[in-house]
Amino acid sequence: MTIAELSNVPEHVAIIMDGNGRWANERGQPRSFGHRHGVEAVRTVVRAAAEIGVKYLTLFAFSSENWRRPETEIQDLFGLLKFFIRRDLAELHSANVCIKVIGDRHSLTSDILNLLLEAEETTRNNDGQTLVIAFNYGSRDELARAAQSLALEVQAGRLDPSQITPDAIAARLDTAGIPDPDLIIRTSGEERLSNFLLWQSAYSELMFVPEYWPDFGREQFFAAIERFGARSRRFGALAPTAAAGS
């Protein structure tokens, strides 16, 4: 498939990168082996998304529920994040990519937090693609933090309860200023959102693909974009043909 064959490229694509562990297990390897190969898939997809003009790419890197995993696996995931940023930050910066991190930062160790802050600060003024890294992110936690922020403003007398609108909530989410995802892709064949962008996905197109994340490359990404382009997005309205005949 060539880039010329793609039409209706989404502005914002979000991906739940799932299946690293199962990919490794099927090869008789430890889960860390799958995570390492998953990082290479990240590099491939980031480049492919920029190539076709995806303006925002959000990757679910570490969920707030992932703390339940074995400590050795958590440390391995943290190590891979460090490796990815240290290796690729200069390349992303030179490609005019702006990095934004969403998620709860309070429980992160200083080395991880400082690295994420460095990536954001280094690329802050870039105006090309925005790469959103969801790290220690959970949508319910994000909504709770937004509600707490609104409650404090009401308590302080700066906000009337009648002013708590959908726009007011959206403005206090981690994704404030970022358009809602047009397309959410989950790899590995699982068909659920797993606490990812629950508010923002109200009208997202959902796509569940069978490939494990390490096998999700340029060709698979372009195939998903092609499928997205064939869908009709109505946002609650009638399809054009139905409206014309009504």
Side-chain angles (χ1 to χ4, degrees), residues 33 35 40 57 67 79 83 92 109 124 136 144 193 244:
F33 180 77
H35 293 314
E40 296 309 312
L57 178 67
W67 292 106
F83 174 71
L92 292 168
T109 57
R124 182 178 303 278
N136 196 27
L193 289 178

Side-chain angles (χ1 to χ4, degrees), residues 27-139:
R27 288 159 177 77
Q29 299 290 334
R31 293 175 61 85
S32 58
F33 180 77
H35 293 314
R36 288 196 297 272
H37 281 266
V39 171
E40 296 309 312
V42 168
R43 301 184 80 199
T44 299
V45 170
V46 169
R47 290 170 176 167
E51 191 177 353
I52 61 172
V54 173
K55 182 67 175 174
Y56 297 88
L57 178 67
T58 297
L59 302 177
F60 202 4
F62 188 84
S63 80
S64 54
E65 286 75 32
N66 286 157
W67 292 106
R68 302 170 187 168
R69 295 188 177 187
E71 180 64 23
T72 54
E73 182 171 350
I74 291 172
Q75 292 307 314
D76 189 55
L77 288 168
F78 282 15
L80 287 171
L81 175 71
K82 295 177 185 177
F83 174 71
F84 172 74
I85 292 179
R86 287 170 179 159
R87 181 186 64 177
D88 293 325
L89 180 57
E91 178 183 336
L92 292 168
H93 184 37
S94 65
N96 200 28
V97 174
C98 177
I99 297 175
K100 180 174 175 59
V101 180
I102 62 174
D104 183 9
R105 305 185 182 196
H106 293 95
S107 58
L108 298 178
T109 57
S110 59
D111 57 337
I112 289 290
L113 179 59
N114 289 337
L115 196 62
L116 295 175
L117 291 174
E118 178 189 353
E120 286 188 314
E121 184 60 33
T122 300
T123 63
R124 182 178 303 278
N125 296 320
N126 293 344
D127 57 4
Q129 181 193 68
T130 296
L131 175 61
V132 183
I133 300 174
F135 194 83
N136 196 27
Y137 174 85
S139 193

